[in-house]
Amino acid sequence: MAPPGKGAGEQHVRENYPKEVKLVRVKNVSRFLVTVMDADTYSVAHHYNELNSELRKDKQKIRQKNDPIAIFIPKHNIETWFYCLNAETSVSETDDFKQKVANIDCTKIVKEFYRLSLLPTAKLPDYCPDSLKLALPEVGRLRSPTAKG
């Protein structure tokens, strides 16, 4: 988590990603890495590429299929996903839903996120924004039998 008032959260995540990946890849250690950053004005793919670039600069392999590393990149902010999952309705990925989710029960959101993560991509509801559709399969990296943890 980025320290409050110490620069952009995205920058903090990106710059610390290689160190965290090294820790996850240590043998005989059970852990997962969940990486979350907003895409904001960039594309989700842009940030995936940046994370890969940070690993290459650190002389590491990019994230491998069996690495227990999930990456979640909402387009605008994570509250968009929360609102979508809570209301089960289409949302604009550029709208700000922070105030609309301030007092909602996160239990429903987590259960819906997990339920949708079990579905094949082709069966995801139309109301899911594209960035959420990309994120849902990432949950499988955390429950994979080949993943440590």
Side-chain angles (χ1 to χ4, degrees):
M1 179 177 280
K6 300 286 184 190
E10 175 277 329
Q11 179 183 357
H12 176 82
V13 169
R14 184 173 30 82
E15 290 176 352
N16 285 281
Y17 183 67
K19 176 180 70 172
E20 298 296 331
V21 168
K22 266 185 197 165
L23 290 173
V24 167
R25 288 176 171 166
V26 172
K27 293 188 187 293
N28 301 319
V29 176
S30 295
R31 44 179 89 161
F32 298 106
L33 176 60
V34 177
T35 303
V36 182
M37 62 193 326
D38 297 337
D40 292 327
T41 59
Y42 295 99
S43 70
V44 172
H46 171 83
H47 286 296
Y48 272 106
N49 291 335
E50 279 192 326
L51 293 172
N52 286 336
S53 177
E54 291 294 326
L55 289 175
R56 285 188 197 101
K57 282 195 285 189
D58 196 51
K59 309 259 189 282
Q60 293 189 60
K61 292 181 183 178
I62 62 170
R63 184 176 67 149
Q64 302 297 296
K65 182 179 179 179
N66 293 331
D67 282 337
I69 302 167
I71 300 173
F72 302 115
I73 307 175
K75 178 61 184 137
H76 184 57
N77 56 45
I78 196 109
E79 288 84 0
T80 304
W81 291 359
F82 294 170
Y83 185 80
C84 171
L85 294 168
N86 185 61
E88 296 181 24
T89 187
S90 295
V91 295
S92 164
E93 290 205 80
T94 57
D95 290 345
D96 187 347
F97 290 92
K98 286 183 180 182
Q99 297 304 316
K100 292 185 178 183
V101 299
N103 296 313
I104 61 173
D105 177 13
C106 289
T107 304
K108 178 184 178 190
I109 294 167
V110 170
K111 285 180 180 178
E112 181 66 1
F113 186 80
Y114 185 75
R115 183 188 75 77
L116 292 175
S117 78
L118 298 172
L119 297 176
T121 305
K123 299 237 183 209
L124 292 176
D126 290 338
Y127 64 78
C128 292
D130 290 342
S131 65
L132 180 55
K133 287 178 181 177
L134 287 172
L136 288 163
E138 293 286 312
V139 176
R141 291 175 156 278
L142 305 178
R143 66 172 175 262
S144 168
T146 57
K148 295 177 276 184

